Structures are given as structure tokens and as C-alpha cells.
Amino acid sequence: MKNDISNRGDIQVLIDAFYEDVQKDELLGFIFKDVARVNWKTHLPVMYDFWENVLFHTGRYDGNPLQTHLHLHKMTKLTSLQFDRWLKIFINNVDEIFEGQNAEAIKMRAKSIAAVMQIKLKI
């Protein structure tokens, strides 16, 4: 039996595994490497804050993910296929590492976020 997501440390494990896979993905990796040119030392802590806030309502995250993705979408057209891949990788990482109520909740929130982003970006 796997543990459920219960704290920031668990979020960090999940997000680190997720972005490791994303960076290697042929549909998504170039967006982070070549388009956004992500500085992982600064990006990962922001993502920890984001997902910790999504799941535990910590109030630590104060960014605007929609604006970030609108900017990316102007730089390179994002597609529904890319969002589907993002979601598949995210859910696979959750399922590989965790199980339980919070694991299910974070997967549902990821699905919702992906759907809303695509609507807002008019994909």
C-alpha cells in the first residue's frame, strides 16, 4: 500500500518526478527548455507552492498561471494534445507514488486546471 499525499515534502516528491518526466517528453520538453527556458531552481519552488496551495489551501501561491500560459501560447501555440499529455504524465506520477483521498483530489484538480486552461486559451 502506498501513502497518501500528506504534506509539502510529498508534494515536492511528486512535482520533482513529474517535471523530470515532462523534461524528457517529446511533446512537452521543448516548451520548458527552448520556449520558456525554465530556470528549475526558481520554477520548482513556485510549483511546490502552487500544488501545496491547490491541495492544502496554504495561501503560499500568489501567481497567475493563466497569464503565464497565455504568454506561452503566444510564443508557441499550445495544443489539446499537449495538455492531454501533461495530464497523463501528472496522473501517472501520482498513481506511481501515492494513493488515497488527497492523491485522488490532486488528480481531479489537475483535470480541472487542464480543462479550464484549454477553455481560456481557446484551444
Side-chain angles (χ1 to χ4, degrees):
M1 183 167 176
K2 300 171 193 163
N3 292 328
D4 200 357
I5 302 168
S6 62
N7 56 46
R8 184 178 178 89
D10 292 340
I11 296 287
Q12 289 174 313
V13 167
L14 172 61
I15 297 309
D16 287 348
F18 169 69
Y19 278 112
E20 186 175 319
D21 289 347
V22 163
Q23 288 179 68
K24 293 184 269 187
D25 187 82
E26 67 276 359
L27 272 180
L28 303 175
F30 82 94
I31 296 170
F32 294 87
K33 182 181 179 214
D34 301 324
V35 179
R37 292 186 230 163
V38 170
N39 176 333
W40 293 103
K41 288 182 183 184
T42 57
H43 185 65
L44 287 173
V46 172
M47 292 298 92
Y48 304 152
D49 288 348
F50 176 79
W51 287 104
E52 185 182 25
N53 188 55
V54 163
L55 195 56
F56 300 121
H57 311 287
T58 60
R60 284 189 178 163
Y61 180 79
D62 64 356
N64 188 332
L66 178 57
Q67 287 297 63
T68 301
H69 288 83
L70 282 168
H71 180 69
L72 273 176
H73 193 53
K74 286 178 185 173
M75 295 169 69
T76 185
K77 294 295 180 206
L78 302 174
T79 68
S80 60
L81 188 59
Q82 289 167 323
F83 276 94
D84 290 347
R85 179 72 58 88
W86 175 90
L87 188 58
K88 180 181 179 183
I89 293 170
F90 190 87
I91 289 172
N92 285 346
N93 275 276
V94 173
D95 289 343
E96 285 176 11
I97 305 168
F98 299 103
E99 65 183 12
Q101 184 176 352
N102 288 335
E104 293 304 313
I106 205 168
K107 291 188 294 185
M108 290 302 297
R109 290 301 308 270
K111 289 176 187 175
S112 175
I113 289 165
V116 168
M117 284 287 180
Q118 290 177 83
I119 290 167
K120 298 285 187 182
L121 296 174
K122 299 180 175 127
I123 295 174

PDB file of all heavy atoms in Angstrom, residues 88-115:
ATOM      1  N   LYS A  88      -1.766  13.291 -18.486  1.00  0.00           N
ATOM      2  CA  LYS A  88      -1.425  11.857 -18.394  1.00  0.00           C
ATOM      3  C   LYS A  88      -0.161  11.657 -17.565  1.00  0.00           C
ATOM      4  O   LYS A  88      -0.112  10.774 -16.700  1.00  0.00           O
ATOM      5  CB  LYS A  88      -1.239  11.278 -19.797  1.00  0.00           C
ATOM      6  CG  LYS A  88      -0.888   9.811 -19.792  1.00  0.00           C
ATOM      7  CD  LYS A  88      -0.699   9.278 -21.202  1.00  0.00           C
ATOM      8  CE  LYS A  88      -0.332   7.804 -21.129  1.00  0.00           C
ATOM      9  NZ  LYS A  88      -0.059   7.255 -22.449  1.00  0.00           N
ATOM     10  N   ILE A  89       0.867  12.462 -17.819  1.00  0.00           N
ATOM     11  CA  ILE A  89       2.116  12.339 -17.057  1.00  0.00           C
ATOM     12  C   ILE A  89       1.873  12.656 -15.590  1.00  0.00           C
ATOM     13  O   ILE A  89       2.363  11.955 -14.696  1.00  0.00           O
ATOM     14  CB  ILE A  89       3.215  13.244 -17.656  1.00  0.00           C
ATOM     15  CG1 ILE A  89       3.608  12.746 -19.047  1.00  0.00           C
ATOM     16  CG2 ILE A  89       4.446  13.291 -16.744  1.00  0.00           C
ATOM     17  CD1 ILE A  89       4.500  13.710 -19.821  1.00  0.00           C
ATOM     18  N   PHE A  90       1.100  13.696 -15.318  1.00  0.00           N
ATOM     19  CA  PHE A  90       0.809  14.079 -13.933  1.00  0.00           C
ATOM     20  C   PHE A  90       0.087  12.941 -13.201  1.00  0.00           C
ATOM     21  O   PHE A  90       0.495  12.525 -12.117  1.00  0.00           O
ATOM     22  CB  PHE A  90      -0.031  15.366 -13.896  1.00  0.00           C
ATOM     23  CG  PHE A  90      -0.166  15.946 -12.521  1.00  0.00           C
ATOM     24  CD1 PHE A  90       0.796  16.819 -12.039  1.00  0.00           C
ATOM     25  CD2 PHE A  90      -1.238  15.616 -11.710  1.00  0.00           C
ATOM     26  CE1 PHE A  90       0.688  17.359 -10.756  1.00  0.00           C
ATOM     27  CE2 PHE A  90      -1.358  16.148 -10.432  1.00  0.00           C
ATOM     28  CZ  PHE A  90      -0.392  17.018  -9.959  1.00  0.00           C
ATOM     29  N   ILE A  91      -0.974  12.439 -13.810  1.00  0.00           N
ATOM     30  CA  ILE A  91      -1.764  11.367 -13.186  1.00  0.00           C
ATOM     31  C   ILE A  91      -0.922  10.108 -13.015  1.00  0.00           C
ATOM     32  O   ILE A  91      -0.985   9.452 -11.963  1.00  0.00           O
ATOM     33  CB  ILE A  91      -3.048  11.105 -13.994  1.00  0.00           C
ATOM     34  CG1 ILE A  91      -4.013  12.283 -13.801  1.00  0.00           C
ATOM     35  CG2 ILE A  91      -3.697   9.778 -13.595  1.00  0.00           C
ATOM     36  CD1 ILE A  91      -5.226  12.257 -14.685  1.00  0.00           C
ATOM     37  N   ASN A  92      -0.116   9.758 -14.011  1.00  0.00           N
ATOM     38  CA  ASN A  92       0.752   8.584 -13.884  1.00  0.00           C
ATOM     39  C   ASN A  92       1.720   8.731 -12.716  1.00  0.00           C
ATOM     40  O   ASN A  92       1.959   7.770 -11.987  1.00  0.00           O
ATOM     41  CB  ASN A  92       1.524   8.336 -15.176  1.00  0.00           C
ATOM     42  CG  ASN A  92       0.669   7.746 -16.270  1.00  0.00           C
ATOM     43  OD1 ASN A  92      -0.439   7.275 -16.038  1.00  0.00           O
ATOM     44  ND2 ASN A  92       1.171   7.802 -17.491  1.00  0.00           N
ATOM     45  N   ASN A  93       2.279   9.933 -12.550  1.00  0.00           N
ATOM     46  CA  ASN A  93       3.190  10.162 -11.434  1.00  0.00           C
ATOM     47  C   ASN A  93       2.473  10.045 -10.099  1.00  0.00           C
ATOM     48  O   ASN A  93       2.991   9.431  -9.165  1.00  0.00           O
ATOM     49  CB  ASN A  93       3.889  11.520 -11.558  1.00  0.00           C
ATOM     50  CG  ASN A  93       5.117  11.443 -12.422  1.00  0.00           C
ATOM     51  OD1 ASN A  93       6.188  11.093 -11.964  1.00  0.00           O
ATOM     52  ND2 ASN A  93       4.958  11.736 -13.700  1.00  0.00           N
ATOM     53  N   VAL A  94       1.290  10.611 -10.000  1.00  0.00           N
ATOM     54  CA  VAL A  94       0.519  10.468  -8.754  1.00  0.00           C
ATOM     55  C   VAL A  94       0.289   8.996  -8.468  1.00  0.00           C
ATOM     56  O   VAL A  94       0.554   8.512  -7.357  1.00  0.00           O
ATOM     57  CB  VAL A  94      -0.830  11.229  -8.825  1.00  0.00           C
ATOM     58  CG1 VAL A  94      -1.670  10.927  -7.584  1.00  0.00           C
ATOM     59  CG2 VAL A  94      -0.618  12.735  -8.958  1.00  0.00           C
ATOM     60  N   ASP A  95      -0.195   8.259  -9.471  1.00  0.00           N
ATOM     61  CA  ASP A  95      -0.532   6.844  -9.276  1.00  0.00           C
ATOM     62  C   ASP A  95       0.685   5.977  -8.961  1.00  0.00           C
ATOM     63  O   ASP A  95       0.560   4.998  -8.233  1.00  0.00           O
ATOM     64  CB  ASP A  95      -1.248   6.296 -10.508  1.00  0.00           C
ATOM     65  CG  ASP A  95      -2.664   6.839 -10.649  1.00  0.00           C
ATOM     66  OD1 ASP A  95      -3.218   7.367  -9.655  1.00  0.00           O
ATOM     67  OD2 ASP A  95      -3.216   6.739 -11.762  1.00  0.00           O
ATOM     68  N   GLU A  96       1.842   6.326  -9.506  1.00  0.00           N
ATOM     69  CA  GLU A  96       3.056   5.551  -9.235  1.00  0.00           C
ATOM     70  C   GLU A  96       3.550   5.723  -7.801  1.00  0.00           C
ATOM     71  O   GLU A  96       4.134   4.809  -7.231  1.00  0.00           O
ATOM     72  CB  GLU A  96       4.177   5.972 -10.188  1.00  0.00           C
ATOM     73  CG  GLU A  96       4.015   5.458 -11.593  1.00  0.00           C
ATOM     74  CD  GLU A  96       5.092   5.988 -12.537  1.00  0.00           C
ATOM     75  OE1 GLU A  96       6.084   6.581 -12.065  1.00  0.00           O
ATOM     76  OE2 GLU A  96       4.926   5.814 -13.757  1.00  0.00           O
ATOM     77  N   ILE A  97       3.290   6.891  -7.223  1.00  0.00           N
ATOM     78  CA  ILE A  97       3.895   7.214  -5.931  1.00  0.00           C
ATOM     79  C   ILE A  97       2.897   7.185  -4.770  1.00  0.00           C
ATOM     80  O   ILE A  97       3.249   6.791  -3.663  1.00  0.00           O
ATOM     81  CB  ILE A  97       4.576   8.605  -5.998  1.00  0.00           C
ATOM     82  CG1 ILE A  97       5.576   8.662  -7.150  1.00  0.00           C
ATOM     83  CG2 ILE A  97       5.271   8.938  -4.679  1.00  0.00           C
ATOM     84  CD1 ILE A  97       6.088  10.070  -7.467  1.00  0.00           C
ATOM     85  N   PHE A  98       1.651   7.576  -5.026  1.00  0.00           N
ATOM     86  CA  PHE A  98       0.690   7.780  -3.940  1.00  0.00           C
ATOM     87  C   PHE A  98      -0.637   7.102  -4.219  1.00  0.00           C
ATOM     88  O   PHE A  98      -0.964   6.772  -5.359  1.00  0.00           O
ATOM     89  CB  PHE A  98       0.429   9.285  -3.744  1.00  0.00           C
ATOM     90  CG  PHE A  98       1.641  10.077  -3.368  1.00  0.00           C
ATOM     91  CD1 PHE A  98       2.291  10.869  -4.312  1.00  0.00           C
ATOM     92  CD2 PHE A  98       2.153  10.034  -2.078  1.00  0.00           C
ATOM     93  CE1 PHE A  98       3.421  11.604  -3.971  1.00  0.00           C
ATOM     94  CE2 PHE A  98       3.280  10.764  -1.729  1.00  0.00           C
ATOM     95  CZ  PHE A  98       3.908  11.551  -2.673  1.00  0.00           C
ATOM     96  N   GLU A  99      -1.396   6.941  -3.138  1.00  0.00           N
ATOM     97  CA  GLU A  99      -2.796   6.548  -3.259  1.00  0.00           C
ATOM     98  C   GLU A  99      -3.534   7.071  -2.037  1.00  0.00           C
ATOM     99  O   GLU A  99      -2.943   7.268  -0.971  1.00  0.00           O
ATOM    100  CB  GLU A  99      -2.966   5.033  -3.388  1.00  0.00           C
ATOM    101  CG  GLU A  99      -2.547   4.237  -2.183  1.00  0.00           C
ATOM    102  CD  GLU A  99      -2.675   2.725  -2.395  1.00  0.00           C
ATOM    103  OE1 GLU A  99      -2.878   2.284  -3.527  1.00  0.00           O
ATOM    104  OE2 GLU A  99      -2.553   2.002  -1.409  1.00  0.00           O
ATOM    105  N   GLY A 100      -4.810   7.353  -2.226  1.00  0.00           N
ATOM    106  CA  GLY A 100      -5.618   7.852  -1.123  1.00  0.00           C
ATOM    107  C   GLY A 100      -6.446   9.060  -1.531  1.00  0.00           C
ATOM    108  O   GLY A 100      -6.472   9.466  -2.693  1.00  0.00           O
ATOM    109  N   GLN A 101      -7.118   9.625  -0.552  1.00  0.00           N
ATOM    110  CA  GLN A 101      -8.049  10.726  -0.784  1.00  0.00           C
ATOM    111  C   GLN A 101      -7.364  11.948  -1.393  1.00  0.00           C
ATOM    112  O   GLN A 101      -7.870  12.546  -2.348  1.00  0.00           O
ATOM    113  CB  GLN A 101      -8.720  11.105   0.535  1.00  0.00           C
ATOM    114  CG  GLN A 101      -9.775  12.164   0.402  1.00  0.00           C
ATOM    115  CD  GLN A 101     -10.484  12.446   1.708  1.00  0.00           C
ATOM    116  OE1 GLN A 101     -10.300  11.751   2.708  1.00  0.00           O
ATOM    117  NE2 GLN A 101     -11.309  13.465   1.701  1.00  0.00           N
ATOM    118  N   ASN A 102      -6.221  12.342  -0.860  1.00  0.00           N
ATOM    119  CA  ASN A 102      -5.524  13.513  -1.402  1.00  0.00           C
ATOM    120  C   ASN A 102      -4.943  13.239  -2.789  1.00  0.00           C
ATOM    121  O   ASN A 102      -4.919  14.137  -3.632  1.00  0.00           O
ATOM    122  CB  ASN A 102      -4.434  13.991  -0.449  1.00  0.00           C
ATOM    123  CG  ASN A 102      -5.007  14.645   0.783  1.00  0.00           C
ATOM    124  OD1 ASN A 102      -6.118  15.162   0.771  1.00  0.00           O
ATOM    125  ND2 ASN A 102      -4.253  14.613   1.876  1.00  0.00           N
ATOM    126  N   ALA A 103      -4.490  12.016  -3.012  1.00  0.00           N
ATOM    127  CA  ALA A 103      -3.994  11.647  -4.341  1.00  0.00           C
ATOM    128  C   ALA A 103      -5.119  11.765  -5.368  1.00  0.00           C
ATOM    129  O   ALA A 103      -4.918  12.294  -6.469  1.00  0.00           O
ATOM    130  CB  ALA A 103      -3.409  10.238  -4.326  1.00  0.00           C
ATOM    131  N   GLU A 104      -6.295  11.302  -5.012  1.00  0.00           N
ATOM    132  CA  GLU A 104      -7.443  11.421  -5.914  1.00  0.00           C
ATOM    133  C   GLU A 104      -7.833  12.886  -6.103  1.00  0.00           C
ATOM    134  O   GLU A 104      -8.156  13.316  -7.210  1.00  0.00           O
ATOM    135  CB  GLU A 104      -8.631  10.609  -5.396  1.00  0.00           C
ATOM    136  CG  GLU A 104      -8.397   9.113  -5.420  1.00  0.00           C
ATOM    137  CD  GLU A 104      -8.020   8.588  -6.802  1.00  0.00           C
ATOM    138  OE1 GLU A 104      -8.697   8.946  -7.801  1.00  0.00           O
ATOM    139  OE2 GLU A 104      -7.045   7.821  -6.908  1.00  0.00           O
ATOM    140  N   ALA A 105      -7.779  13.655  -5.024  1.00  0.00           N
ATOM    141  CA  ALA A 105      -8.158  15.072  -5.099  1.00  0.00           C
ATOM    142  C   ALA A 105      -7.213  15.856  -6.009  1.00  0.00           C
ATOM    143  O   ALA A 105      -7.662  16.681  -6.809  1.00  0.00           O
ATOM    144  CB  ALA A 105      -8.182  15.681  -3.701  1.00  0.00           C
ATOM    145  N   ILE A 106      -5.913  15.596  -5.898  1.00  0.00           N
ATOM    146  CA  ILE A 106      -4.968  16.358  -6.729  1.00  0.00           C
ATOM    147  C   ILE A 106      -5.118  15.981  -8.202  1.00  0.00           C
ATOM    148  O   ILE A 106      -4.961  16.835  -9.076  1.00  0.00           O
ATOM    149  CB  ILE A 106      -3.519  16.200  -6.211  1.00  0.00           C
ATOM    150  CG1 ILE A 106      -2.672  17.422  -6.634  1.00  0.00           C
ATOM    151  CG2 ILE A 106      -2.874  14.907  -6.685  1.00  0.00           C
ATOM    152  CD1 ILE A 106      -1.324  17.515  -5.944  1.00  0.00           C
ATOM    153  N   LYS A 107      -5.464  14.734  -8.492  1.00  0.00           N
ATOM    154  CA  LYS A 107      -5.709  14.339  -9.881  1.00  0.00           C
ATOM    155  C   LYS A 107      -6.955  15.037 -10.426  1.00  0.00           C
ATOM    156  O   LYS A 107      -6.942  15.509 -11.568  1.00  0.00           O
ATOM    157  CB  LYS A 107      -5.848  12.818 -10.004  1.00  0.00           C
ATOM    158  CG  LYS A 107      -4.546  12.078  -9.753  1.00  0.00           C
ATOM    159  CD  LYS A 107      -4.640  10.599 -10.067  1.00  0.00           C
ATOM    160  CE  LYS A 107      -5.573   9.858  -9.155  1.00  0.00           C
ATOM    161  NZ  LYS A 107      -5.573   8.399  -9.390  1.00  0.00           N
ATOM    162  N   MET A 108      -7.987  15.139  -9.623  1.00  0.00           N
ATOM    163  CA  MET A 108      -9.201  15.827 -10.055  1.00  0.00           C
ATOM    164  C   MET A 108      -8.933  17.308 -10.283  1.00  0.00           C
ATOM    165  O   MET A 108      -9.421  17.889 -11.256  1.00  0.00           O
ATOM    166  CB  MET A 108     -10.327  15.643  -9.027  1.00  0.00           C
ATOM    167  CG  MET A 108     -10.874  14.235  -8.976  1.00  0.00           C
ATOM    168  SD  MET A 108     -11.512  13.643 -10.565  1.00  0.00           S
ATOM    169  CE  MET A 108     -12.856  14.778 -10.830  1.00  0.00           C
ATOM    170  N   ARG A 109      -8.148  17.915  -9.413  1.00  0.00           N
ATOM    171  CA  ARG A 109      -7.806  19.333  -9.587  1.00  0.00           C
ATOM    172  C   ARG A 109      -6.959  19.535 -10.838  1.00  0.00           C
ATOM    173  O   ARG A 109      -7.144  20.509 -11.565  1.00  0.00           O
ATOM    174  CB  ARG A 109      -7.072  19.863  -8.352  1.00  0.00           C
ATOM    175  CG  ARG A 109      -7.936  19.994  -7.103  1.00  0.00           C
ATOM    176  CD  ARG A 109      -9.154  20.919  -7.273  1.00  0.00           C
ATOM    177  NE  ARG A 109      -8.828  22.238  -7.794  1.00  0.00           N
ATOM    178  CZ  ARG A 109      -8.525  23.303  -7.060  1.00  0.00           C
ATOM    179  NH1 ARG A 109      -8.506  23.219  -5.756  1.00  0.00           N
ATOM    180  NH2 ARG A 109      -8.239  24.460  -7.627  1.00  0.00           N
ATOM    181  N   ALA A 110      -6.041  18.622 -11.114  1.00  0.00           N
ATOM    182  CA  ALA A 110      -5.225  18.724 -12.328  1.00  0.00           C
ATOM    183  C   ALA A 110      -6.112  18.636 -13.573  1.00  0.00           C
ATOM    184  O   ALA A 110      -5.919  19.393 -14.534  1.00  0.00           O
ATOM    185  CB  ALA A 110      -4.153  17.634 -12.344  1.00  0.00           C
ATOM    186  N   LYS A 111      -7.085  17.731 -13.563  1.00  0.00           N
ATOM    187  CA  LYS A 111      -8.013  17.617 -14.695  1.00  0.00           C
ATOM    188  C   LYS A 111      -8.785  18.919 -14.887  1.00  0.00           C
ATOM    189  O   LYS A 111      -8.954  19.388 -16.007  1.00  0.00           O
ATOM    190  CB  LYS A 111      -8.991  16.458 -14.465  1.00  0.00           C
ATOM    191  CG  LYS A 111      -8.357  15.099 -14.572  1.00  0.00           C
ATOM    192  CD  LYS A 111      -9.355  14.004 -14.228  1.00  0.00           C
ATOM    193  CE  LYS A 111      -8.661  12.655 -14.181  1.00  0.00           C
ATOM    194  NZ  LYS A 111      -9.570  11.588 -13.729  1.00  0.00           N
ATOM    195  N   SER A 112      -9.247  19.482 -13.792  1.00  0.00           N
ATOM    196  CA  SER A 112      -9.992  20.728 -13.844  1.00  0.00           C
ATOM    197  C   SER A 112      -9.130  21.879 -14.360  1.00  0.00           C
ATOM    198  O   SER A 112      -9.564  22.666 -15.215  1.00  0.00           O
ATOM    199  CB  SER A 112     -10.524  21.053 -12.442  1.00  0.00           C
ATOM    200  OG  SER A 112     -11.145  22.305 -12.426  1.00  0.00           O
ATOM    201  N   ILE A 113      -7.910  21.973 -13.859  1.00  0.00           N
ATOM    202  CA  ILE A 113      -6.984  23.025 -14.288  1.00  0.00           C
ATOM    203  C   ILE A 113      -6.700  22.902 -15.788  1.00  0.00           C
ATOM    204  O   ILE A 113      -6.731  23.897 -16.515  1.00  0.00           O
ATOM    205  CB  ILE A 113      -5.691  22.976 -13.453  1.00  0.00           C
ATOM    206  CG1 ILE A 113      -5.987  23.446 -12.024  1.00  0.00           C
ATOM    207  CG2 ILE A 113      -4.582  23.806 -14.088  1.00  0.00           C
ATOM    208  CD1 ILE A 113      -4.893  23.116 -11.018  1.00  0.00           C
ATOM    209  N   ALA A 114      -6.437  21.680 -16.253  1.00  0.00           N
ATOM    210  CA  ALA A 114      -6.159  21.470 -17.679  1.00  0.00           C
ATOM    211  C   ALA A 114      -7.366  21.871 -18.527  1.00  0.00           C
ATOM    212  O   ALA A 114      -7.207  22.520 -19.575  1.00  0.00           O
ATOM    213  CB  ALA A 114      -5.777  20.014 -17.936  1.00  0.00           C
ATOM    214  N   ALA A 115      -8.559  21.527 -18.072  1.00  0.00           N
ATOM    215  CA  ALA A 115      -9.765  21.870 -18.821  1.00  0.00           C
ATOM    216  C   ALA A 115      -9.975  23.380 -18.873  1.00  0.00           C
ATOM    217  O   ALA A 115     -10.242  23.941 -19.946  1.00  0.00           O
ATOM    218  CB  ALA A 115     -10.987  21.181 -18.201  1.00  0.00           C
TER     219      ALA A 115
END
